[in-house]
Amino acid sequence: MFSTFSVFGYFAAIFIGLSLGIMGGGGSILTVPVLVYLMGVSPVLSTAYSLFVVGSTSVVGASGYFRKGLVSLRTAVVFLLPSLLAVFAVRKLLMPAIPHELFTVGSLVVTKDLLVLVAFAVLMVGAAASMIRVKQAEAVLDDELHHSHAFNYPLILGIGLVVGTLTGFVGAGGGFLIIPALVLGARLPMKLAVGTSLAIIALNSLIGFTGDLSAGTPIAWRFLLGFLAFALGGIVLGTYLARFIPGAKLKPAFGWFTLAMGAFILLRELVFTP
């Protein structure tokens, strides 16, 4: 039996795949809000499901770039060394250890679910800013690339650790952090950075999901695979449409939508929650 919200949720899954196929990223940041507010999944469990959906769709996206030679394996390995350790540790050790109720501020009880949603909303705002300013950001990255002369191992390793921690905690890929790090730290051209970022997100997310499996997180596989099927259908369609629709032109509009979603989550959870 499908509810109205769940029907919208499956349409949203198609939209997530579409945006990934057209823009090479971005849409995966909507996975947790869709699962929580449209599909009725708890916030913490949604982060686990998001890791599986984001990782699986990113595998499809990265495979296209890999066939075109647009994935830097050397850079991906350096980035993934700290990132995989962080994401697995967060999912297997940190998340199960966080108590359900953390503290109280006035009448507001800060729970584990609330902490995850607020952290995710803040991440959405950051991702939205990077998409809204996509032209300026890419111009800055290109300028920095021309003035950079060495592979910056500390930057790559440090951002890898940060991204792994964020991915593990909120279930998002973190592409808006990965791509600048790859351009500035590894001196990769933008297209190569996007392909390498998708490969990193795929491995990061799926390894993080194994942390949930090893921690005994209950997984509703029938629901999860059904949701993934809609997202994969979207990415196939989006990859086709990308031949006719310039993804860079869509990013600012998608950024404003993501910003509105982040603001909605913050207002709903912190202001309007009874």
Side-chain angles (χ1 to χ4, degrees):
M1 178 72 70
F2 290 106
S3 69
T4 301
F5 281 124
S6 67
V7 171
F8 280 123
Y10 286 115
F11 274 111
I14 297 173
F15 178 73
I16 289 168
L18 268 173
S19 64
L20 183 62
I22 294 174
M23 298 186 296
S28 59
I29 202 166
L30 298 178
T31 307
V32 166
V34 167
L35 289 170
V36 171
Y37 297 112
L38 295 181
M39 309 304 284
V41 181
S42 72
V44 173
L45 185 57
S46 290
T47 63
Y49 286 5
S50 177
L51 287 173
F52 182 75
V53 173
V54 170
S56 300
T57 52
S58 295
V59 166
V60 176
S63 63
Y65 282 86
F66 188 81
R67 287 193 297 269
K68 297 174 184 176
L70 292 175
V71 174
S72 172
L73 295 178
R74 172 202 178 196
T75 306
V77 168
V78 174
F79 194 100
L80 284 167
L81 286 174
S83 191
L84 290 179
L85 290 175
V87 70
F88 185 82
V90 168
R91 297 309 300 185
K92 180 171 176 59
L93 303 175
L94 178 62
M95 295 301 285
I98 298 176
H100 176 66
E101 290 190 7
L102 299 172
F103 54 88
T104 301
V105 179
S107 61
L108 177 67
V109 179
V110 179
T111 64
K112 181 179 181 179
D113 283 346
L114 178 60
L115 179 64
V116 168
L117 284 174
V118 169
F120 195 89
V122 171
L123 186 68
M124 290 184 78
V125 171
S130 72
M131 286 186 279
I132 291 169
R133 299 179 302 168
V134 62
K135 290 184 179 179
Q136 299 95 313
E138 289 186 3
V140 171
L141 291 178
D142 286 340
D143 182 65
E144 292 290 336
L145 177 59
H146 291 314
H147 290 85
S148 180
H149 300 288
F151 192 103
N152 192 330
Y153 283 98
L155 178 63
I156 295 295
L157 292 170
I159 297 295
L161 182 63
V162 171
V163 168
T165 303
L166 287 175
T167 298
F169 191 72
V170 300
F176 75 103
L177 287 175
I178 297 174
I179 290 177
L182 297 182
V183 174
L184 298 177
R187 301 170 57 218
L188 300 184
M190 188 60 68
K191 286 187 178 181
L192 187 58
V194 171
T196 305
S197 173
L198 283 172
I200 290 169
I201 291 170
L203 287 172
N204 247 359
S205 300
L206 293 176
I207 291 296
F209 185 69
T210 65
D212 283 282
L213 294 179
S214 63
T217 301
I219 305 297
W221 283 107
R222 183 176 179 181
F223 163 76
L224 184 56
L225 292 175
F227 189 88
L228 174 62
F230 281 89
L232 290 177
I235 195 172
V236 170
L237 179 59
T239 302
Y240 172 75
L241 293 177
R243 304 174 187 176
F244 315 103
I245 303 173
K249 291 186 177 181
L250 295 180
K251 277 192 175 182
F254 187 80
W256 285 110
F257 178 72
T258 303
L259 180 63
M261 286 294 298
F264 164 78
I265 294 173
L266 289 173
L267 289 172
R268 186 183 191 280
E269 300 300 330
L270 297 178
V271 179
F272 297 114
T273 298

